[in-house]
Amino acid sequence: MKLITAVVKPHRLDEIKEALQAFGVHGLTVTEASGYGRQRGHTEVYRGAEYTVDLVPKIRIEVLAEDDDAEQIVDVIVKAARTGKIGDGKVWSVPVETAVRVRTGERGPDAL
Amino acid sequence: MSASPVKRICASLLTTVGPPHSLSIRTGRSDDEEIPALNGTDTGFVLISAALVMLMTPGLALFYGGMVRSKSVLNMLMMSFISLGIVSVLWVLYGHSLAFSGDAGGFIGNLDMIGLKGVNADSTMENFAGEKISLFAFSLFQMLFAVITAALMSGALADRVKFSSWMVFIGAWVTVVYFPVAHWVWGGGWLSQLDPAVIDFAGGTAVHINAGIGALAAVLVVGKRVGFKKDPMRPHNLPLVLLGTGLLWFGWFGFNAGSELGVDGTTGLMAFNTQIATAAAMIGWLVYERIRHGAFTTLGACSGAVAGLVAITPSGGSVNAFGALLIGVVAGALCSWAVSLKYKLGYDDSLDVVGVHLVGGVIGTLMVGFLAIGGVGGGSQFLSQAIGAFSVMGYTFVVTYILALVIKKTIGFRATEDDEVSGIDQALHAETAYDFSGAAGSHMSGSTASTTPAKSSDAAKKVEA
């Protein structure tokens, strides 16, 4: 199994969700996140005082997948998240040792 | 408004509180000729205006509250809101008397009406048109002016003062600063006896210059927030600021037009000028900001509106529409520039009480010297205006500075640095404004276990154990 994590622009969430549902992904977890990459932060002005905001709001999406599907799911997310502008985010996957469905106790790929 | 009505108001206060009311006891209420009837329209308008002015204080609390960081928003709200408690009580105990009963050397009233002694439902006073209005209505209206003036200073001291010390401070401040200055301007004191009298329709000197300079003095004693000019201190909730601005703007119609104490052409003029000066000031601030900083900000629009409201407060009853527009746009642009002074000069007027209320109040008070219609405006009027503005600034600065220093040396003015850094809401009020623990029902908040009563009794302690 693989854990696919995507940190992307918040306004792409709906497209990504729809694309994943179309692909057949049954569940995902979304967290509000903040951070910076090459995009860096931005400047805000309050009564003439300028504030540099380093950390940009992002959405962190996590999906558990079987090994065979993982690469394709990564592609689906990347395609749906892309705007072509700086700050589109990153997607990565890591191996997962075990997964359990809490209600039934099923383990491994059956739990997905 | 000119000199004579101001004097008339005080004279009538002196005379009508005593005789007409005692007269009514002697002759009975059936004798209508002996007691001229109270003007219901004017009294009703003053009562409605008082309610509008009351709403300004919670409005101010929201205006300020949105501008601080989320860890101290409740403290900010409470610093304004508590004024409704403390100052209202002091007003009825001796505030009304010190401001509006008699006159001691033009400086302050006497204590003859302490606890509103001798005032009953039949007590009246004459407004500018010579109509009788309920003395309770007038006193309530003036009480709420004192409330908001004290509350205005809180923005300068955001995030860092002990709440108990703040309560002592505003109680003492209205006693030694606001009540005397209100007497100077409206109670028959020396500023209303100048020739020509100072034009201060609704409180540019007594309220805004007074609170602005008082805030500056207090800030100089209290000192800067930890991390001033280093840490980001951006406003945590601008929608709250806009809501507060809306309530202030709405209430200000009562504050300004209500100061006519009745319903006539001047009331209409004042209400109209209040609207257009505020509009012009919003635009003035935004244009300056767009040129200087590159954006039309929400905070700028709100700040500009308040600057306009401040500047039209002393002047709106004495200028025409073009005068009001000019005062508004100048106040908006100049205040927008003035709020940057604190960074250059190094005083931490956290929410720009000086930059908006002092500067806006001075602009309105001085500009009306030239712009006043009806042959009043000119050099001598300008001189009176300047005397009014600068005498209040001098007196209030010195007295407030000493008062703040006394509080600092005795009970201490500031919260501890730990409390300030970690968040004054939790440290001093045992509350936090927002539950950030997140989604659906906040099961992760960590506070789910103990919904025990506060630790006030042994029983409560047992439950907790």
Side-chain angles (χ1 to χ4, degrees), chain A residues 2-56:
Chain A
K2 291 272 170 45
L3 171 65
I4 299 151
T5 306
V7 176
V8 296
K9 286 185 170 165
H11 71 271
R12 303 307 294 172
L13 177 61
D14 284 342
E15 281 83 351
I16 295 168
K17 239 168 39 188
E18 280 162 26
L20 285 173
Q21 272 160 7
F23 181 78
V25 171
H26 300 305
L28 51 77
T29 305
V30 176
T31 328
E32 287 179 24
S34 54
Y36 63 84
R38 290 190 193 169
Q39 181 189 8
R40 302 299 304 192
H42 59 271
T43 306
E44 297 183 2
V45 186
Y46 298 100
R47 280 186 175 166
E50 293 193 357
Y51 295 106
T52 307
V53 180
D54 289 329
L55 300 176
V56 184

Side-chain angles (χ1 to χ4, degrees), chain B residues 275-302:
Chain B
Q275 177 66 19
I276 61 174
T278 306
M282 188 202 300
I283 292 169
W285 187 300
L286 285 175
V287 167
Y288 176 89
E289 194 171 46
R290 177 69 177 79
I291 294 168
R292 185 82 178 71
H293 304 291
F296 300 113
T297 68
T298 312
L299 184 58
C302 294

Side-chain angles (χ1 to χ4, degrees), chain B residues 411-464:
Chain B
I411 56 176
F413 216 140
R414 278 191 87 126
T416 65
E417 194 175 322
D418 273 357
D419 290 349
E420 185 183 336
V421 172
S422 63
I424 202 163
D425 284 1
Q426 210 183 353
L428 297 186
H429 299 283
E431 296 169 305
T432 44
Y434 308 104
D435 186 348
F436 286 124
S437 58
S442 339
H443 287 299
M444 297 184 297
S445 71
S447 65
T448 48
S450 54
T451 46
T452 53
K455 286 180 276 181
S456 56
S457 66
D458 287 334
K461 276 178 195 159
K462 267 182 219 156
V463 174
E464 200 177 26

Side-chain angles (χ1 to χ4, degrees), chain A residues 21-112:
Chain A
Q21 272 160 7
F23 181 78
V25 171
H26 300 305
L28 51 77
T29 305
V30 176
T31 328
E32 287 179 24
S34 54
Y36 63 84
R38 290 190 193 169
Q39 181 189 8
R40 302 299 304 192
H42 59 271
T43 306
E44 297 183 2
V45 186
Y46 298 100
R47 280 186 175 166
E50 293 193 357
Y51 295 106
T52 307
V53 180
D54 289 329
L55 300 176
V56 184
K58 294 286 171 191
I59 288 287
R60 180 189 176 105
I61 300 167
E62 286 165 308
V63 181
L64 278 171
E66 292 195 49
D67 288 340
D68 295 346
D69 296 334
E71 278 306 305
Q72 273 178 287
I73 290 175
V74 169
D75 290 343
V76 166
I77 295 175
V78 168
K79 188 161 170 258
R82 188 200 296 279
T83 68
K85 298 204 185 83
I86 196 161
D88 272 354
K90 298 234 182 326
V91 185
W92 64 88
S93 76
V94 292
V96 171
E97 245 175 53
T98 186
V100 183
R101 172 171 284 127
V102 172
R103 177 170 53 85
T104 59
E106 289 164 289
R107 285 185 172 263
D110 291 342
L112 298 183

